Amino acid sequence: MRILLVDDDDDIRRSIEACLVDRDHEVRAYVSAREALAVMEFFDPQLVISDIQMPGMDGIQLLGRIRDVNGDVPVILMTSELAVDTAVKALRARAYDYLKKPVDLKALLGCIQRLETG
């Protein structure tokens, strides 16, 4: 699966990227939403995984832009704050899933497996 990963936290981004690459996914990892959007068209991800709290464009805004460009690509959002209003915004923007950070890699892999098996 082609996965676009966006997180401004270097340790978390590298950890998730390594886990996904170990499972034979093609991963492009970026620090910012703007960088990720710049590669969306030519990378054509099958999944986007993004942090919500990022400087500049946050994950909810990124999700909205992704929906404008490619309405069908699933997006998993991650956050260290499980605020109800943020969860509601994510679901209204049609996030595939919403995971608490630090991310349980087994839970993330379970989400990806559900996507792969349809």
Side-chain angles (χ1 to χ4, degrees):
M1 181 175 276
R2 287 182 314 280
I3 300 173
L4 187 61
L5 173 63
V6 190
D7 197 316
D8 62 323
D9 184 304
D10 292 338
D11 293 334
I12 291 172
R13 189 181 61 256
R14 288 183 185 129
S15 173
I16 293 172
E17 180 179 18
C19 175
L20 297 174
V21 168
D22 284 348
R23 282 150 183 86
D24 296 324
H25 296 289
E26 181 181 352
V27 180
R28 300 277 174 95
Y30 296 94
V31 175
S32 75
R34 294 198 190 288
E35 289 176 324
L37 282 172
V39 301
M40 281 285 298
E41 187 175 333
F42 73 84
F43 181 58
D44 192 27
Q46 296 167 293
L47 171 64
V48 176
I49 302 169
S50 177
D51 186 18
I52 291 179
Q53 288 90 17
M54 296 184 291
M57 184 185 306
D58 68 26
I60 301 284
Q61 292 167 319
L62 173 61
L63 175 55
R65 296 281 299 274
I66 290 170
R67 290 290 166 253
D68 291 342
V69 174
N70 182 346
D72 295 333
V73 66
V75 177
I76 296 172
L77 293 175
M78 308 175 294
T79 184
S80 56
E81 293 180 19
L82 282 181
V84 173
D85 61 328
T86 305
V88 169
K89 286 179 187 175
L91 294 174
R92 283 186 179 155
R94 298 186 343 227
Y96 178 77
D97 210 335
Y98 183 83
L99 301 175
K100 182 169 178 8
K101 290 171 82 175
V103 172
D104 177 342
L105 293 175
K106 286 183 182 181
L108 177 60
L109 293 172
C111 287
I112 294 169
Q113 186 173 18
R114 284 192 308 273
L115 280 168
E116 290 178 318
T117 58

